[in-house]
Each structure stands twice: as C-alpha cells, then as structure tokens.
Amino acid sequence: MRRLLGVATVLSVLALTACGAGNGDDAATPDPSSSSSEFGSPTPTATAAVAVRRPTCDNLLTPVQVSDLMDPGAQGIGDATTPAGGGRGSTVLELLQIMDGDSGAVHCTWVLPDSDAGATISIMSDPLVAHAGEVYLSTLTLEETTGATGERILTIRSLDGFAYTESHGFLDGVWVGVWDGFATESSAIVDAVFATLAADNPSRF
C-alpha cells in the first residue's frame, strides 16, 4: 500500500520525525569541526577555499528527471523547511542537527497532490558539515554504493510498514541528502543531483 511520508507528512510529519525519528536521543552528535578523514571523506580544509555553485530548486532536476525518479505527477514546492526540522533530506535527528550547521544549505521538496507521497533534497556544501554528516553515517551499518560522479552513497531503508528510502551522498566536501517517499530509489536521486552539481561546477567535480 502506497502510504508514504509525503504531502501530509513532507510538510507536517517530516517535522514530527525530525523530533523523534533519530537513532536515539543519547547518540552523540559528531563534532563538525573534526578534520579527520578516517572514513574516506576529504579533509575539510582541502576544499574549504573552493566555493560550490548550488542550483535552485527550480533547476536542480529537469521535469523528465522528476517524472522518472519520483512520479509523473510530482510537483515542486521549493523550500518547505520548518524550525522543527521538517523539509530536509533526512528524518534522522542527529543528521538534521548537523545539516543545520550549513546556513547556506539548499532544501527542496516535491509532493504528489491528493496523496501522501513526497520527497525532499538537501544540499550542504560546507565541508565541515559534510564531513560531520559522513562521519556520523559511517558509524552505522548501511548499504553503500558509488555514484556515477564518484560520490559515496549511504542508504537507509524503512524497516516497518512505512515504505521510504533515505540516501546521503558525499564527494569533495559536498553532502546531498535525499528522503524519498515516492517508493522509488533515493540513491538514484542523489546521483542525479551530483550530476547537476558537476555540470554547474566542472572544475570542482
């Protein structure tokens, strides 16, 4: 049954999950100032001086990509963030806290009208924030793949009757987080976003 964390929940339940869907309130949040490259990500200081041109929600994905990767009827509603942590590309409390360390992050949400389907993409290009997110995820046992641009992708899948995937991609100090409630594949969306970033920043990726 296609009851997903989407329209009613991309705008409201995502905010609720931000308050309670983490791995555990007593899990330590990584220190974003860490410069260790223990988990394979680049040392933050190595990329801090190179700015990343970040796309807007309107040009992040083409209409064809939205149709193929989400749903033919999916509609973009732009930035739907809430102070409680909703409208971001994760439902993990620790990751939401780390994401908010990048004041220039881009957050974009799509919904399917008259349904509960939706998806949110977040792009963080502060290398310290990206590194902290990767370090935290590296402490978990997750699916790991490599995207077409070379990004490391770590994927979380729902373990109950609530069907969704959440993927996080890391490359050269940039972090792309995708929460996908369209019953498709969040890692493919991460890959498409990195392709857009690579096209906009040919000297970076």
Side-chain angles (χ1 to χ4, degrees), residues 30-68:
D31 179 4
S33 64
S34 170
S35 61
S36 168
S37 57
E38 176 183 356
F39 297 104
S41 62
T43 303
T45 53
T47 57
V50 183
V52 174
R53 181 175 176 229
R54 289 179 275 200
T56 65
C57 294
D58 290 336
N59 61 20
L60 180 56
L61 299 173
T62 68
V64 171
Q65 287 176 313
V66 170
S67 178
D68 290 347

Side-chain angles (χ1 to χ4, degrees), residues 91-134:
T91 57
V92 179
L93 178 59
E94 290 82 0
L95 293 179
L96 294 172
Q97 293 171 338
I98 298 170
M99 284 180 177
D100 283 347
D102 186 344
S103 60
V106 174
H107 305 286
C108 307
T109 292
W110 286 259
V111 298
L112 184 64
D114 303 317
S115 83
D116 287 338
T120 299
I121 298 170
S122 294
I123 303 172
M124 286 64 60
S125 61
D126 181 319
L128 298 177
V129 170
H131 184 72
E134 184 172 8

Side-chain angles (χ1 to χ4, degrees), residues 8 10-11 24 32 36 40 42 49 54 58-59 69 72 84 103 122 140 145 156 158 165 168 175 188 190 194:
V10 165
L11 299 179
S36 168
R54 289 179 275 200
D58 290 336
N59 61 20
L69 298 172
S103 60
S122 294
L140 308 178
T145 56
I156 302 168
S158 58
T165 60
H168 298 273
W175 171 14
V190 168
F194 267 104

Side-chain angles (χ1 to χ4, degrees), residues 128-203:
L128 298 177
V129 170
H131 184 72
E134 184 172 8
V135 167
Y136 175 79
L137 284 164
S138 294
T139 66
L140 308 178
T141 302
L142 303 173
E143 293 180 26
E144 180 169 348
T145 56
T146 300
T149 306
E151 73 275 14
R152 179 191 189 195
I153 303 176
L154 299 168
T155 297
I156 302 168
R157 296 188 184 277
S158 58
L159 299 177
D160 51 28
F162 207 71
Y164 71 89
T165 60
E166 177 177 323
S167 291
H168 298 273
F170 300 91
L171 180 65
D172 198 19
V174 176
W175 171 14
V176 174
V178 174
W179 178 87
D180 175 24
F182 280 107
T184 51
E185 181 50 67
S186 53
S187 62
I189 300 175
V190 168
D191 213 22
V193 173
F194 267 104
T196 298
L197 290 170
D200 288 347
N201 300 272
S203 62

